[in-house]
Amino acid sequence: MASKVTSTVMRKGLRVLGVAIRAEKAVFTAAVLSSGVYGAMTVASAWALGWATENVVLPAFGAGETAAGAMSLALLLILGTALLKALGVAGRRYFAGVMQYRMQARSRRDVTRQYLRLPLAWHHRHPTGQLLSNANADAEAAWAPLAPLPMAVGVIVMLFTAAVAMVITDPVLAVVGFLIFPAIALMNLVYQRRLSPLATRAQQLRAEVSEIAHESFDGALVVKTLGREEEETVRFRAKAEELRDANIAVGRVRGLFDPVLEALPTLGVLAVLLVGAARLESGAITAGVLVQVAYLFTLLAFPIRALGWVLAELPRAVVGYERIHAVLSATGSMEYGAAALAADGPARLRVSDLSYAYGDFTVLHGVDFEVEPGRTVALVGPTGSGKSTLVQTFVRLVDPARGAVLVDGTDLREVARGGVSDVVSLVPQQTFLFDDTVRGNVTLGLPISDQDVWQALRLAQADGFVSALPSGLDTMVGERGTSLSGGQRQRLALARALVRRPRLLVLDDATSSVDPQVEAKILYGLRDAAAMSSASTVVVVAYRMATIALADEVVYLEHGRVADRGTHDELLARCEGYRNLVTAYEREEAEREALESDEEVSA
Amino acid sequence: MSALQGVERSALATVRRGLSLTPEFRKGLAGTFALAMLATVGKVIVPIAVQQTVDRGLKDAVPDVPFIRDMVLVCAAAVVFTALCGYLMNVRLYRATESSLATLRVRGFRHVHDLSVLTQNSERRGALVSRVTGDVDQISAFMQWGGLMIIVALGQLLVASVVMFLLSWQLALLVWACFLPLMIVLPRFQRWLSAAYTRVRERTGDMLAAVSESVVGAAVIRAYGSESRTAERLDTAIDANKAAQARTQRIVATVFPLTEIVAAITLAAIVLLGVRLGVGGGITKGDLIAFLFLITLFVSPLQIATEVLNEAQNAIAGWRRILGVLDTPPDVADPGPQGVELPRGPISVAFEGVGFAYPGGPPVLSEVTVDIPPRSRIAVVGETGSGKTTFAKLLTRLMDPVSGRVTVDGEDLRRVRFSSLRERIVMVPQDGFLFDGTLTDNVRFGRPDATDEEIALAMTELGLTDWVEGLPAGLDTPVGQRGESLSAGERQLVALARAYLADPDLLLLDEATSAVDPATEVRLARALEGVTRGRTAVSIAHRLSTAEAADEVLVFEHGRIVQRGPHAELVAEPGVYADLHASWVAAAHS
């Protein structure tokens, strides 16, 4: 059973290697040719040394003189084989590296392209950490056997040449080699087989240790303010000790096999001396041959382990390759139609009987409403009522399970690729800035003049702090740049949407971190801009009265359904849930005042 | 801002200090070292056996088979013995290094939690994580491979040289003369290689950042149709990484075979000089042949030398970085058992001329003096950047003031034991950070010994039962990494329940319900009002009603308290508060 599984893995592994070889034929050929030269020259160098011993050293010690011709030839042979061998090694290492890195880069490109192509719903189903490791660790693992592969092919050449050479020089000594070398190769295979799962486990634990540290340090404020440092340390220690034990297990296997693999060829040489002595006695071989075979054994001992390296990497490579393959063959990619949306004028939005579910959990049920061009609609609802999910369907980040979103009567699914984002801009609840300049973050690479960028920043009330930044529009923000406050980040994200003059602007609680005074200025600015020619249709998710007051109409969501819709005043008059929600603060205030006056009366 | 104190140390001093922190490693090190030397002796068995065979076994026309047999058996026994030494050495080395590094890792982790940099500067967190992960791994990789290789390689060179000098001092000198130039240039190659590896690491970092951006920013990229621009950025990063990797391979491919050529030159020179010496009767043919084998012992140490040196450098850098953490004194230190234990009950707080500034930065708070009597409700208001959050961090002792002092029940905060402080004073930050786990797990973080019933009860008391029941699996709903499966408002609800369960005597809310809908927020406020009655409560307020409900309002501007008093008083006088109030009113009623 186990061997069947193993042979399946081996077959799959060889198929993975086949993929790489087909993709990089020229580089692989160069690497293998170099490695072949290396293999042949390794055997040849032993032969050269044997020849020198036989024809230069032994005669010299025997006769007390050296033949100048033989000496020159011996030196030439030693140096020549070494030079060729060195060239072989250089070529092998270089081309093997190039092949490996090219394949890794290729997988990384393919995988990241696929990330960009796959719909957001797919992203939601896969944790960020997994996607990062697909592009990093898995791409590395999948092509790791490519580094030792040419050497292994060279070793096969080497072993074949050595076998032929030994059989020709002395069949009996060759038998010693035929016993020792397969034993080394086999032992090495067993070694790598035992090591591989342990090493994978250690690698996994290393990632887990890092995850705990990441999470714990990210949540430092919570850990500290609740005084949970000790509990966190206990959690970390448990994982660190698991890692320690896993590493020691790896060490035990290494510790056992490394000396054995080192001892085997040494024992082989000793066997050669013993058998060789008997062969010398019978006159079958000369002393030079003995030296040559013994030398060959010392030279072959190390490279033969390359076979094991390749085989050992295969299971990990198969896992890495299959993970990458799973990403590349992921379906459910967003299909696009061919329809184009008009370029100018406010858009008409229609949400038609729309439902959406995360897995089995339905968050939106038959949502249905329409927004006339140029109107501003506020989406209001309690925390967790499905507002953010709903606005995601407006820019086609996700497609509804049932029903449709239509802009100017066209189902968004019919619109050509890129067509939706040209017309609709969403400012999400959670701000995301790229590791780029302020300008880059606003334009996202579109050819937009600085004048327009500044205008958008002004509208988003961001021009003040941006002009105070060290390099203005060219200041780096995001991961490695200037750190901005939450409100500043939100204003940049808003400018990013405004600069595109979208026909439909969707704001998902996009000014929550902005001071109320600044928010008011932004909202008035938007209304003034809307009154001008560049009018947009606006959908805004909001709690604040000031924001709601700007809307022509309110859609009130409760538990994923449209509970009511109408003007603010209408809903206030007839919808209890809405009234409770938006007047919560006022009622609270009123109650307090009443309470205080009661207290005064009673006092 | 470099808050970590990297004491400048030489490489040797760094390693010495590092080893002094890991007693597990030093214990038994001498024994491991002795075993390593014995294991190395195994390397010269082959040359000696060959020399003996040629000189004594094959002395006469007829080989002395019994001698060769005995000699081979002795050598085989020696091989088995040295292999055994090798095994024992490996096992001891792995156990010692892994145990010591696990200790170091945990010490580093615990220490980082004591450093205020963690809560001050979120950008440096990634770097701190690598101190207890990657940096330690680097040390362990060196100790188990590179460090061992240095011992083995030096031992191998030493043993081989000794045997060589015993056989023939002339030939031994010749071997050294041939290899010495290579040994001299190797450090230069190592510097090239090290620079090249550094570049690979940087490019890999860039590439990972680009990939992570494309994954984390997936929604924005799609919403703005900037897929092709992102693809270009990715390709640039991936290709730059590939180019850097190929560059290192070019260096390795040049340096590595160089040793082969030097070895061949040495071989040729040995044959040439050896034969001369042999003809003169200075050495035997066995000696000469033994030399041919001994030279191979010079090759492998030099072939791996550049990589070992590189690892050594990385390991020392790793030591430096982790020592940089451990040697930074915890700036906000727990007084420990000597500290004061606060009795339970309503807490009073006093700020006495408190000032704060980040190292090298402008003052964030200056001359803040205020008394917060027990059972009082304080609202803290002010614009973004006015010092409100710094005030909160000083009150919870996430940082210590630069001047003045903060006292609790008359005790300097610095003298209060952490265990006592954290039990009595709890802050709910604006960003409701959640750990990967279920809702229950996260709420229980507030009080680890709370039962499921107590957690359910807490949710009921806070009026969150309806919300919990609407979730796919109620209290067992997983919240995802950093709570990302929940909305911002929902995360705040969990964070609040967590603090509520902790049951502190002073509750500090830093805009803790800013992303929650108004009805829920009012409900929460009412619930909290009920439970904090008789306790002290400080709220950093983002809306009117919180300030109105407070006994006293502290108005911050530019790091100072510019106004204070009850809402009714403050709103009547012109000033910062009246302006703020006007804008709130406008926001709520326009």
Side-chain angles (χ1 to χ4, degrees), chain A residues 293-440:
Chain A
V293 173
Y295 197 72
L296 190 60
F297 270 47
T298 48
L299 286 187
L300 287 181
F302 184 71
I304 198 167
R305 292 165 75 169
L307 289 176
W309 299 336
V310 174
L311 295 177
E313 292 283 0
L314 281 187
R316 218 163 65 85
V318 169
V319 173
Y321 184 78
E322 280 174 352
R323 284 198 194 140
I324 290 174
H325 196 72
V327 173
L328 295 183
S329 58
T331 50
S333 76
M334 219 167 231
E335 300 297 326
Y336 297 91
L341 295 171
D344 295 309
R348 173 189 301 275
L349 172 71
R350 165 141 184 71
V351 180
S352 165
D353 191 28
L354 182 148
S355 297
Y356 189 83
Y358 288 109
D360 301 334
F361 190 66
T362 307
V363 288
L364 293 171
H365 309 262
V367 174
D368 198 294
F369 64 90
E370 185 164 348
V371 184
E372 297 286 326
R375 306 265 283 178
T376 297
V377 165
L379 265 182
V380 182
T383 304
S385 58
K387 303 178 298 286
S388 291
T389 306
L390 179 59
V391 296
Q392 286 193 352
T393 64
F394 297 173
V395 275
R396 233 197 139 196
L397 284 178
V398 292
D399 279 333
R402 221 187 57 221
V405 177
L406 302 102
V407 168
D408 301 342
T410 309
D411 188 332
L412 289 186
R413 284 171 291 207
E414 309 282 304
V415 176
R417 175 186 282 269
V420 174
S421 59
D422 282 348
V423 169
V424 190
S425 284
L426 165 75
V427 186
Q429 193 179 20
Q430 233 146 30
T431 315
F432 180 82
L433 294 186
F434 292 90
D435 182 18
D436 201 343
T437 59
V438 171
R439 184 191 290 103

